[in-house]
PDB file of all heavy atoms in Angstrom:
ATOM      1  N   ALA Z 783      28.513  31.414  20.283  1.00 79.00           N
ATOM      2  CA  ALA Z 783      27.666  30.139  20.145  1.00 79.00           C
ATOM      3  C   ALA Z 783      27.313  29.957  18.803  1.00 79.00           C
ATOM      4  O   ALA Z 783      27.268  31.008  17.924  1.00 79.00           O
ATOM      5  CB  ALA Z 783      26.437  30.351  21.062  1.00 79.00           C
ATOM      6  N   THR Z 784      26.986  28.778  18.334  1.00 83.00           N
ATOM      7  CA  THR Z 784      26.497  28.492  17.005  1.00 83.00           C
ATOM      8  C   THR Z 784      25.073  29.015  16.847  1.00 83.00           C
ATOM      9  O   THR Z 784      24.325  29.086  17.886  1.00 83.00           O
ATOM     10  CB  THR Z 784      26.611  26.993  16.743  1.00 83.00           C
ATOM     11  OG1 THR Z 784      25.723  26.361  17.615  1.00 83.00           O
ATOM     12  CG2 THR Z 784      28.009  26.496  16.874  1.00 83.00           C
ATOM     13  N   ILE Z 785      24.510  29.047  15.642  1.00 83.00           N
ATOM     14  CA  ILE Z 785      23.182  29.356  15.383  1.00 83.00           C
ATOM     15  C   ILE Z 785      22.208  28.415  16.164  1.00 83.00           C
ATOM     16  O   ILE Z 785      21.224  28.820  16.778  1.00 83.00           O
ATOM     17  CB  ILE Z 785      22.982  29.352  13.798  1.00 83.00           C
ATOM     18  CG1 ILE Z 785      23.612  30.456  13.196  1.00 83.00           C
ATOM     19  CG2 ILE Z 785      21.376  29.367  13.629  1.00 83.00           C
ATOM     20  CD1 ILE Z 785      23.387  30.424  11.602  1.00 83.00           C
ATOM     21  N   TRP Z 786      22.554  27.190  16.082  1.00 84.00           N
ATOM     22  CA  TRP Z 786      21.707  26.121  16.611  1.00 84.00           C
ATOM     23  C   TRP Z 786      21.596  26.296  18.114  1.00 84.00           C
ATOM     24  O   TRP Z 786      20.570  26.170  18.708  1.00 84.00           O
ATOM     25  CB  TRP Z 786      22.202  24.763  16.185  1.00 84.00           C
ATOM     26  CG  TRP Z 786      21.334  23.694  16.666  1.00 84.00           C
ATOM     27  CD1 TRP Z 786      21.671  22.640  17.408  1.00 84.00           C
ATOM     28  CD2 TRP Z 786      19.977  23.418  16.251  1.00 84.00           C
ATOM     29  NE1 TRP Z 786      20.585  21.936  17.675  1.00 84.00           N
ATOM     30  CE2 TRP Z 786      19.526  22.361  16.926  1.00 84.00           C
ATOM     31  CE3 TRP Z 786      19.086  24.168  15.431  1.00 84.00           C
ATOM     32  CZ2 TRP Z 786      18.252  21.832  16.798  1.00 84.00           C
ATOM     33  CZ3 TRP Z 786      17.804  23.696  15.313  1.00 84.00           C
ATOM     34  CH2 TRP Z 786      17.390  22.576  15.980  1.00 84.00           C
ATOM     35  N   GLU Z 787      22.775  26.513  18.744  1.00 85.00           N
ATOM     36  CA  GLU Z 787      22.844  26.673  20.235  1.00 85.00           C
ATOM     37  C   GLU Z 787      21.977  27.849  20.589  1.00 85.00           C
ATOM     38  O   GLU Z 787      21.237  27.841  21.619  1.00 85.00           O
ATOM     39  CB  GLU Z 787      24.268  26.889  20.710  1.00 85.00           C
ATOM     40  CG  GLU Z 787      24.979  25.576  20.797  1.00 85.00           C
ATOM     41  CD  GLU Z 787      26.526  25.807  21.019  1.00 85.00           C
ATOM     42  OE1 GLU Z 787      27.022  27.022  20.788  1.00 85.00           O
ATOM     43  OE2 GLU Z 787      27.205  24.825  21.309  1.00 85.00           O
ATOM     44  N   ASN Z 788      22.120  29.013  19.850  1.00 86.00           N
ATOM     45  CA  ASN Z 788      21.351  30.267  20.252  1.00 86.00           C
ATOM     46  C   ASN Z 788      19.829  29.925  20.114  1.00 86.00           C
ATOM     47  O   ASN Z 788      19.025  30.302  20.897  1.00 86.00           O
ATOM     48  CB  ASN Z 788      21.648  31.242  19.210  1.00 86.00           C
ATOM     49  CG  ASN Z 788      22.969  31.962  19.460  1.00 86.00           C
ATOM     50  OD1 ASN Z 788      23.498  31.926  20.551  1.00 86.00           O
ATOM     51  ND2 ASN Z 788      23.690  32.511  18.385  1.00 86.00           N
ATOM     52  N   PHE Z 789      19.548  29.143  19.032  1.00 87.00           N
ATOM     53  CA  PHE Z 789      18.029  28.913  18.820  1.00 87.00           C
ATOM     54  C   PHE Z 789      17.522  27.994  19.913  1.00 87.00           C
ATOM     55  O   PHE Z 789      16.458  28.387  20.481  1.00 87.00           O
ATOM     56  CB  PHE Z 789      17.994  28.151  17.451  1.00 87.00           C
ATOM     57  CG  PHE Z 789      16.399  27.867  17.152  1.00 87.00           C
ATOM     58  CD1 PHE Z 789      15.613  28.859  16.682  1.00 87.00           C
ATOM     59  CD2 PHE Z 789      16.057  26.620  17.409  1.00 87.00           C
ATOM     60  CE1 PHE Z 789      14.315  28.655  16.478  1.00 87.00           C
ATOM     61  CE2 PHE Z 789      14.611  26.502  17.168  1.00 87.00           C
ATOM     62  CZ  PHE Z 789      13.738  27.416  16.680  1.00 87.00           C
ATOM     63  N   VAL Z 790      18.334  27.092  20.360  1.00 88.00           N
ATOM     64  CA  VAL Z 790      17.824  26.238  21.405  1.00 88.00           C
ATOM     65  C   VAL Z 790      17.552  26.927  22.751  1.00 88.00           C
ATOM     66  O   VAL Z 790      16.528  26.762  23.457  1.00 88.00           O
ATOM     67  CB  VAL Z 790      18.746  25.027  21.758  1.00 88.00           C
ATOM     68  CG1 VAL Z 790      18.384  24.212  22.956  1.00 88.00           C
ATOM     69  CG2 VAL Z 790      18.766  24.044  20.551  1.00 88.00           C
ATOM     70  N   ILE Z 791      18.510  27.926  23.088  1.00 86.00           N
ATOM     71  CA  ILE Z 791      18.307  28.745  24.329  1.00 86.00           C
ATOM     72  C   ILE Z 791      17.006  29.444  24.212  1.00 86.00           C
ATOM     73  O   ILE Z 791      16.152  29.511  25.145  1.00 86.00           O
ATOM     74  CB  ILE Z 791      19.468  29.632  24.497  1.00 86.00           C
ATOM     75  CG1 ILE Z 791      20.726  28.872  24.781  1.00 86.00           C
ATOM     76  CG2 ILE Z 791      19.122  30.552  25.573  1.00 86.00           C
ATOM     77  CD1 ILE Z 791      21.961  29.767  24.916  1.00 86.00           C
TER      78      ILE Z 791
END
Side-chain angles (χ1 to χ4, degrees):
Chain Z
T784 61
I785 290 181
W786 186 240
E787 281 166 347
N788 283 335
F789 182 79
V790 168
I791 293 174

